[in-house]
Amino acid sequence: MNIIPTLAAAAALLILLSSAFEAAIPSRRSYIHIDNVSQQYPLKLAQRLFSSVPKREYALKDINLKFGQNDDGVILLTGRSASGKSTILRLIAGLELPTSGGVSINGRTISKLTNVASRMPSWIKIGQLEDVVRPHPVIITAKPDFDDSLQVIERIIGMGRDALHKHENGNKLEGEDSAQLEVLAWDFAKLLGLDERCSLLPSQLSPSEQYMFSIACGCMVSASPAISSRHEDDNDGGIPYPIILLDELFDTEVASTAERCNKGMTNLINCGAVIISATHRPQYFRGISSRVVTLSGGKVLSDKQIGYLAAASHGLN
């Protein structure tokens, strides 16, 4: 029997054995429940008659999934185009409400959306969630498109400040909240391996660092509302860590670029974050994925827990 580990398996083992990072702001693990969810988009007659591909009325049908509590790696959503992957992400992020069933974040159900507009760059999407839902899940679709007018760390802090400012209804931030934002930004920068690159301008980052930069910004948007002084009583056990939803984020990249981001994502998850990736390239997550949910026709075809080293050795094929 061949017991020599593959290069990917060895890399995964190094990630697992790396020293744990202790965040300056205590954290707690986030989780998501999707309970008997269906999402219906009524079809017009023209769509039924003239579509070049078969159309179905239900994007999702009777979905039951739980994420976060027992997941110690990236969760992958796989399946063909139009199988329901992105619809699940949109429901978790609060961009849509389900036709039936419910989605809850850390035990709090997304029951309605607010009318507060979310001014975010085009590469990041966040729903108009009620303030009681924390953290706010965010969808990331691309690398940031910032100009070079501010340093990397200033951009990360700024994304958190904008998110918290919205949740304070435009009121001036308390001094303590502003200070906590900076500490939180440095926590995420260190977790994602950007701490020594924070003084650079965005264009000076490598391709993999730009992806980590986008995830750091997403983390700030997701977690910042929870550090408000108004929520101190809720955070005795630490702030709920971000829920990051990747919508085919790495699918157009080369494998090596995606794989350089593995350690940073693993660090986030170890501190309590939930990372879910809808992808057509599950092999890009070898060594850091712990679960693969395969969708077909809006239904769960399979839901498999996998080990880090098993994922690395088998390439998630």
Side-chain angles (χ1 to χ4, degrees), residues 20-88:
F21 172 82
E22 186 172 345
I25 296 181
S27 64
R28 70 173 188 262
R29 185 165 298 281
S30 292
Y31 60 92
I32 304 159
H33 287 184
I34 300 175
D35 298 312
N36 202 31
V37 160
S38 294
Q39 187 70 331
Q40 182 181 20
Y41 301 118
L43 297 177
K44 297 178 180 179
L45 181 60
Q47 290 177 302
R48 295 179 185 274
L49 295 177
F50 303 112
S51 175
S52 59
V53 295
K55 295 283 187 179
R56 64 178 191 273
E57 193 164 353
Y58 281 90
L60 295 173
K61 185 69 172 175
D62 301 329
I63 301 295
N64 289 281
L65 292 167
K66 295 180 180 180
F67 299 127
Q69 287 170 310
N70 298 309
D71 296 303
D72 57 359
V74 176
I75 303 155
L76 304 183
L77 302 182
T78 65
R80 295 182 178 180
S81 296
S83 61
K85 302 186 299 296
S86 293
T87 303
I88 287 179

Side-chain angles (χ1 to χ4, degrees), residues 5-16 286-290 306-316:
T6 65
L7 180 61
L13 188 59
L14 286 174
I15 290 174
L16 287 172
R286 64 171 58 130
I288 66 164
S289 58
S290 61
I306 57 176
Y308 283 109
L309 297 184
S313 299
H314 294 91
L316 291 172

Side-chain angles (χ1 to χ4, degrees), residues 76-86 248 251 277-282 292-299 301-302:
L76 304 183
L77 302 182
T78 65
R80 295 182 178 180
S81 296
S83 61
K85 302 186 299 296
S86 293
E248 301 182 10
D251 281 20
S277 178
T279 182
H280 294 285
R281 296 185 180 275
V292 180
V293 178
T294 302
L295 297 159
S296 179
K299 297 182 178 181
L301 191 63
S302 66

Side-chain angles (χ1 to χ4, degrees), residues 1 10-11 47 57 80 97 114 117 132 156 166 237 275 304 317:
M1 181 177 64
Q47 290 177 302
E57 193 164 353
R80 295 182 178 180
L97 289 176
T114 72
V132 295
I156 296 172
K166 178 177 80 70
I275 301 180
K304 297 180 179 179
N317 290 326

Side-chain angles (χ1 to χ4, degrees), residues 230-277:
R230 292 185 296 114
H231 304 317
E232 284 179 353
D233 293 341
D234 291 349
N235 299 330
D236 290 341
I239 66 166
Y241 243 42
I243 295 175
I244 303 298
L245 312 171
L246 311 180
D247 197 357
E248 301 182 10
L249 180 63
F250 298 108
D251 281 20
T252 59
E253 275 293 347
V254 296
S256 58
T257 296
E259 288 168 359
R260 290 189 189 101
C261 301
N262 284 357
K263 184 175 181 179
M265 289 190 286
T266 299
N267 288 341
L268 272 179
I269 294 166
N270 287 342
C271 282
V274 178
I275 301 180
I276 304 174
S277 178

